[in-house]
Every structure is written in C-alpha cells, then in structure tokens.
Amino acid sequence: MERNRRMEDDAPLTETRLDAADERFAREVARAILAGFDRHYGLFRYCAQRAKAMFERGDWAGIARLSRERIDYYDTRVDECYGRLHLEFAAETLPDEMWLAIKRHYVTLLANHKQPECAETFFNSVCCRILHRDYFHNAFIFVRPAVATDHMDSDPPSFRTYYPFSEGGRASLTRMLADFGLACAFFDSKRDVARLLRAGMRALKERGVKRIEPDFQVQVLSTLFFRNKSAYIIGKVLNGTVVHPFAIPLMRDARGQVYVDALLSSADEIALLFSFTRAYFLVDMDAPAAYVSFLRDMLPGRSKAELYTMLGLQKQGKTLFYRDFLHHLKHSHDRFIIAPGIKGMVMSVFTLPSYPYVFKIIKDEILKDMDRAFVKDRYMLVKLHDRVGRMADTWEYSEVALPRARMSESLLAELRKVAPSILEEEDDIVVIKHVYIERRMRPLNLHLMHASDAEVDRAVKDYGEAIKDMARANIFPGDMLFKNFGVTRLGRVVFYDYDEIQYMTEMNFREIPPAPNEEAEMSDTPWYAVGKNDVFPEEFHRFLLGDRRVNAAFRRHHPDLLTAAWWRATQARVAAGDTPEAYPYERSRCFSRRFADDRPSRLRH
C-alpha cells in the first residue's frame, strides 16, 4: 500500500462508500479510537478529583506527584490505543478509503460528545502514530475542527451565577463558598465573606464603576483550580456589558481549616496566575471548551492554545498553537531571522519578528560536556517540575515544515552550519526535525544595557528573587549569566536556558579555602580541588557584577547569594521537605495584611 504522499491541503482525496461489512469495520475502528480517548480523559478528570481530596487533607506531595505524572498520561494512552489497533485491526495495512471512512464514523460519534475538540486531537495523534507523520494525507486527520464547540456546555452548567444585590451580598458569597463542597471546614467563613465584600467593592471603585446595573451578577466556574498548596475560585463580575475578572485563592492552615487568602482582581494579577511560567492547573472539567470560553472573557489576550495548556490539556494546546501559527504565516510576510542576543553554545534560536515566540533547536556539536539527549532531558525536567513563576514553559514539536521563502539567508546558513542533522530542505520547504517553541522575552542582558538606573535596580532585584525562588524549589540554574534570563511584558525576570540546571540537593556549595601563599593566589589555576558539582558562590561576582550599576544593585538586594552559607541553608530546607508556596501574587494582597483590623463593613447588602 502506497503512503509516500506529503500532506497537501490542496489535493483532497475522494471518498467512496464501502460495502456494509467494511463500513461496520470502519465504525468499530472509530469506536476503538474514541474508547482510547475516553479512557485518557476519564483518568485526566480523576486526577483533578484526587487533587481535591488531597487539598482537603493537605497532601501537597501528592498534588505535586499528580501534576508530574499527568503530563505523560496522553502519550501513554496513545500508545495503548495504537497497540490495540495494531493487534485487533492490523491498522497499518488499511487502505486509504478505509481511513476516510474511519474518520467519517468518528465525526458521527462526536455528535454529542463533551470533549470533541480533544477527541479530534487524540485521533490525529493515533493516526500519526500508525501512518507515520511524513506519509499520510490531510484528508485522514482533522486539520480543522469538524465539531463546533462555541456554545458547548456541560450538564450541570460549567459555571454558577449569583446575584449579590438581589439575594444579599453575604448570602450569595456564603453560598458560593459552600457550593464547592469542600470536605474540610472554613476557619471563619463569616470573616472571609466580609473581607471579600470589602475587597470587591474597593476593586470596583478603583476600576471606576460608579453605577451598579440591574443585571449585576457574579459568575464562577463550577470546579476549583488546584495548584501547589492552593485552590482557586475563578470567576467574573458582569456589570452591564463590562466584565471584571477575579480569582480567589483558598488555603489550609496548620489545623487543616480553609481560609480565603486574597481577592485577585486586576488584569495583571489574573495574567500572572495563568502565566506560562507556572505549573498546569488540575481542574475537573466535563466540557473543557466551556471553561476555555469562560476564561477568554476574563483573559482576552490569552489564546485558546495557552488556556488549554494551562488547564493541563497541553496536547490540545499544541494542536491549536500550530493552527494559529499556520494562520499567522498565511497572513504575514516577514522572514524568520536569528533571534537578537548572544549566541549560545548549546541552542540556536530564531524568531519571526511579527510573532511573539522564539524557536530553539539543539546544535549538533555542543561546546559543553553534554549531548542532545542530556539537553532534552533537562527540558523535560523543567516540564515536569514546578516552574514557580520563574521558568518558561515550552512546546516541543517534531517535523515542523517552514516555507523556505520565509527564512532569511543568514538563518538558513546558520542552521546548515550548526544543526544539519535535524534539517531537511525539500523544494520550497525546510523541515526541522526537532524544535522547542517558547514565548519571546527581552533578554535580561539587553534590558540591563539600555535600562535607566531605576530599571536596573528593579530588574536586578527581581533577577535575584528568581534565583532564590528556583533554589527554594530545588532548582540550581547552573549558568546564571544574564543572557539566560528574560524580562516578560509585566517586567518579571524569567529563566529560559535549561541545559545546565540541576537539583539543589545534588550540589556542593563551598567557600574558597585560603591560599597557601601569594603565588598560588595569583595563579590562573585554583590551588584547591574542584569536584564535578562543586559551586563557589563568592566567585559569582566575577562573571555577573562587572557593571557598576548592576554590582551596586545586586549587593544592595542580594548579598546573601554570594555566600555559600545561604545556599547550604536553602539546600538543607529543601532536603528536609520545606518547600514554601510559590505565590503567583504579591503577599501584600493577602487579607491577613490588608484587613488585619477586620473592621465591620459599612456596605449595605
């Protein structure tokens, strides 16, 4: 059976009806694929349900383990489904007309399905696994969605609605908290409701809301969003035609009682909560499209691809991202170029100026003591680890075809030179066999070069906080040069070069011993033995603090990072299991600080 055709949108296959027996066979294959997806999604939801139980009993290690393990669920289920199709249906031998019929029956099975968009992506993954990515026709897979999800919802609905000004503010918020059905009691729900009312009215006033419209309402997604040691209520206030998003973090105290920690209501706070530098949420969703639609009202700047990814459906996110990328290529005309900044010894980075992402490939010859497999392992480590708001998430792709005409000659020359093994040039396309795609940020070294004194101080302070946040999460960045960090749109410093990261617990932080004599001190070689994982923090200033302004800011905010004592103390806390919560919001937003006096609210409810 011939399968040596490249994917082409402009050469559709003509489908012919099969006889009754073949149609039954095609229907059975379609059902087997959908059964594989349903098993995957059932386990996906079970993870979120387990997360709720773990939150209720304070099993933080269990939640972290769930978050890591769930990332591999999808590929495992695809492999299982492939195995079944191979054994029961000899899927690799089926002719083209059979695959067209299988797809047609699959679409029929999705008519009343609650996750059709994800099921289509699963079908594509299985199809690619069977037919091999380079040798199938677009007619066999879902290039575009076949089932609309614009107005899809679950039963019961994906969100609940409350009317504070008709049923009473305290009553509606009390009911809202109770509706999530947490098995552990609130420490003081009356206090929390009073604080929510005060903070909410203050937020509306700060946004310039002067009049409450007759249809004023609060809409809240029906299930909690779990991450690390927190559970989040995600919702929005509707006042006329204006949408005001909010998030309410819930936490447990030492006695196992729940309390409301804050009200997050600004656009930046919500954006940070759903940042690409954070671990994926654990959320129990019957109809994920309804959740994404709700979230897009709250975060209009976030793409569906990003939102599906943050909800833990990263394969769906990858599918949508690539569709968006192809759409952008079709409606733009600029060229891919080498990304600005200092070239790395491990990765080569390029970008499309009109698109806010960078493309990173591993070089064939790495000028460090590592190979391609080790670098991929480091990137997977970050994918599985809690990124604590300081490490950028990436999408990993294989066999990415780019139009040759859109690639600058300097970029093509660079790729041919540094990574010929992963490059294929065929007529008018260039195929990159393996690439990481990451949100574009301004390199910190370039930012510092052109920043004002105040901007340098702020960036260096946050750079040190980024290192400390990672260290407390058991990550030693290794190469701490400024070129390996970026500055986000919100001014947050984020690490994005992972080839040298290691666990804090693997390192040996040492002081430099006194030199035995002056000659040894002046020598270019150290007078002391240096082990593989030895780190001497007092040496950091030599390669980080050459600039006068950077030096002054670093020593003002983070002199402890230049001492082995700080690193060893942090390492000891990590080894003892003391991993503090990596809050995605400023601690000044906590109710315990904002409303320490707990004065009674003067609002009428």
Side-chain angles (χ1 to χ4, degrees):
M1 182 176 57
E2 185 182 64
R3 295 217 178 269
N4 58 354
R5 294 190 296 269
R6 279 276 181 190
M7 294 193 305
E8 298 175 354
D9 280 328
D10 55 355
L13 295 177
T14 302
E15 182 180 3
T16 57
R17 288 283 173 171
L18 307 177
D19 61 31
D22 284 345
E23 287 290 345
R24 285 195 299 271
F25 182 87
R27 187 160 51 248
E28 288 305 309
V29 176
R31 285 174 175 165
I33 297 174
L34 186 57
F37 169 76
D38 287 341
R39 170 169 163 73
H40 157 67
Y41 200 78
L43 290 171
F44 177 87
R45 291 191 67 181
Y46 181 56
C47 274
Q49 293 159 6
R50 289 176 64 197
K52 181 174 182 288
M54 289 174 176
F55 174 83
E56 290 167 342
R57 64 176 181 264
D59 183 1
W60 313 131
I63 289 178
R65 185 173 58 254
L66 266 183
S67 297
R68 291 191 302 270
E69 292 174 352
R70 191 184 62 173
I71 289 174
D72 291 330
Y73 277 16
Y74 184 90
D75 289 336
T76 302
R77 299 291 87 73
V78 169
D79 288 344
E80 286 179 358
C81 189
Y82 163 75
R84 180 185 175 188
L85 296 183
H86 170 72
L87 291 174
E88 296 183 21
F89 302 100
E92 297 93 337
T93 67
L94 301 181
D96 290 353
E97 57 269 20
M98 181 62 73
W99 278 106
L100 292 173
I102 292 168
K103 179 182 175 183
R104 170 164 44 80
H105 285 292
Y106 196 79
V107 172
T108 302
L109 294 173
L110 296 181
N112 297 308
H113 204 277
K114 294 297 178 65
Q115 307 96 33
E117 75 282 24
C118 300
E120 289 176 358
T121 293
F122 189 86
F123 183 96
N124 288 353
S125 298
V126 173
C127 194
C128 291
R129 180 79 167 79
I130 293 171
L131 303 179
H132 310 297
R133 193 160 299 177
D134 285 341
Y135 302 103
F136 60 86
H137 200 284
N138 267 357
F140 298 155
I141 64 171
F142 294 93
V143 179
R144 287 172 289 273
V147 179
T149 60
D150 293 345
H151 301 288
M152 179 166 291
D153 205 348
S154 56
D155 186 17
S158 59
F159 64 88
R160 294 186 285 266
T161 304
Y162 305 89
Y163 301 91
F165 284 86
S166 60
E167 63 179 306
R170 285 190 176 87
S172 60
L173 291 182
T174 299
R175 185 162 61 88
M176 179 188 76
L177 295 178
D179 282 344
F180 288 102
L182 285 170
C184 43
F186 277 78
F187 171 73
D188 188 344
S189 61
K190 290 183 178 179
R191 178 203 64 181
D192 289 342
V193 165
R195 288 175 168 180
L196 281 172
L197 284 171
R198 292 172 63 191
M201 294 304 293
R202 183 179 298 178
L204 290 175
K205 184 177 180 180
E206 290 172 351
R207 293 186 184 186
V209 175
K210 298 179 180 178
R211 181 173 182 269
I212 300 299
E213 301 295 337
D215 63 347
F216 184 92
Q217 58 190 270
V218 177
Q219 295 180 354
V220 174
L221 285 169
S222 298
T223 52
L224 294 168
F225 285 50
F226 296 97
R227 184 167 64 197
N228 300 336
K229 300 178 182 179
S230 300
Y232 295 88
I233 298 171
I234 305 297
K236 56 190 176 184
V237 170
L238 276 63
N239 189 39
T241 59
V242 182
V243 175
H244 303 280
F246 68 85
I248 301 171
L250 305 178
M251 304 194 73
R252 290 174 83 257
D253 62 20
R255 292 165 293 187
Q257 295 175 310
V258 178
Y259 63 93
V260 174
D261 193 49
L263 173 67
L264 311 179
S265 56
S266 74
D268 287 351
E269 287 174 329
I270 304 299
L272 283 174
L273 184 63
F274 285 86
S275 169
F276 62 92
T277 63
R278 297 281 174 185
Y280 306 143
F281 286 108
L282 292 151
V283 194
D284 182 16
M285 303 170 289
D286 186 31
Y291 273 64
V292 169
S293 177
F294 189 98
L295 291 171
R296 288 205 80 190
D297 281 348
M298 298 174 57
L299 295 158
R302 285 280 195 270
S303 67
K304 286 185 177 180
E306 292 170 311
L307 293 175
Y308 272 103
T309 300
M310 288 309 302
L311 294 174
L313 296 165
Q314 63 268 26
K315 291 295 182 179
Q316 184 65 18
K318 281 183 63 174
T319 296
L320 294 178
F321 175 86
Y322 199 65
R323 286 175 182 168
D324 291 344
F325 172 60
L326 294 178
H327 179 81
H328 181 85
L329 277 181
K330 188 175 182 179
H331 294 86
S332 61
H333 53 77
D334 55 335
R335 289 185 164 195
F336 291 95
I337 60 172
I338 299 172
I342 300 172
K343 290 184 178 181
M345 293 187 288
V346 175
M347 312 286 282
S348 185
V349 185
F350 63 96
T351 188
L352 188 67
S354 62
Y355 205 56
Y357 293 87
V358 295
F359 301 74
K360 304 169 70 172
I361 62 170
I362 304 172
K363 295 181 177 181
D364 284 0
E365 295 185 7
I366 299 173
L367 302 178
K368 292 183 180 181
D369 186 20
M370 60 184 69
D371 58 16
R372 183 183 297 274
F374 179 84
V375 176
K376 294 171 85 170
D377 178 74
R378 298 297 90 181
Y379 272 76
M380 180 53 67
L381 186 157
V382 173
K383 174 70 74 173
L384 297 175
H385 201 81
D386 180 11
R387 292 184 289 280
V388 295
R390 295 298 188 176
M391 293 181 282
D393 191 18
T394 55
W395 280 309
E396 185 178 7
Y397 287 90
S398 301
E399 308 294 338
V400 175
L402 302 175
R404 179 194 291 269
R406 299 293 297 276
M407 305 187 75
S408 67
E409 289 304 319
S410 59
L411 173 58
L412 278 174
E414 170 78 4
L415 297 182
R416 290 166 183 153
K417 177 183 177 182
V418 303
S421 71
I422 63 166
L423 200 67
E424 288 184 6
E425 299 183 56
E426 302 180 6
D427 300 327
D428 58 348
I429 65 169
V430 175
V431 178
I432 299 176
K433 296 180 182 178
H434 182 261
V435 62
Y436 294 104
I437 302 179
E438 182 179 281
R439 171 71 72 168
R440 186 167 63 220
M441 291 171 275
R442 181 173 175 78
L444 179 58
N445 61 310
L446 298 182
H447 177 80
L448 293 172
M449 192 181 303
H450 303 289
S452 65
D453 289 350
E455 290 170 335
V456 166
D457 186 80
R458 185 162 54 250
V460 170
K461 180 181 180 182
D462 203 48
Y463 163 78
E465 292 298 337
I467 292 173
K468 289 178 177 178
D469 287 343
M470 288 188 286
R472 295 181 187 113
N474 199 22
I475 291 293
F476 179 66
D479 192 344
M480 293 162 54
L481 292 176
F482 299 129
K483 69 181 182 67
N484 297 324
F485 291 76
V487 182
T488 70
R489 176 184 62 84
L490 297 175
R492 190 169 176 84
V493 175
V494 171
F495 187 53
Y496 54 54
D497 195 321
Y498 305 140
D499 52 83
E500 290 193 26
I501 66 170
Q502 289 179 267
Y503 292 116
M504 281 281 291
T505 48
E506 297 174 345
M507 312 310 295
N508 183 27
F509 298 99
R510 297 174 53 193
E511 287 91 358
I512 297 176
N517 52 55
E518 187 175 345
E519 290 77 12
E521 190 170 12
M522 298 299 292
S523 174
D524 291 335
T525 58
W527 59 88
Y528 46 89
V530 179
K532 180 180 179 182
N533 288 344
D534 284 354
V535 179
F536 301 88
E538 60 195 279
E539 289 189 324
F540 291 169
H541 73 92
R542 296 183 181 179
F543 53 87
L544 291 178
L545 308 182
D547 181 274
R548 173 186 56 83
R549 298 188 301 167
V550 171
N551 190 345
F554 192 92
R555 293 184 183 277
R556 180 164 52 252
H557 297 297
H558 302 292
D560 47 357
L561 287 176
L562 301 176
T563 68
W566 184 90
W567 289 93
R568 285 198 298 266
T570 302
Q571 183 184 52
R573 286 194 293 270
V574 169
D578 180 13
T579 53
E581 175 76 346
Y583 295 97
Y585 50 94
E586 295 293 332
R587 301 311 295 143
S588 59
R589 302 294 292 165
C590 295
F591 284 169
S592 59
R593 300 187 184 187
R594 293 181 67 188
F595 304 128
D597 56 351
D598 278 325
R599 289 189 302 270
S601 173
R602 298 178 181 176
L603 299 171
R604 295 178 61 192
H605 311 302

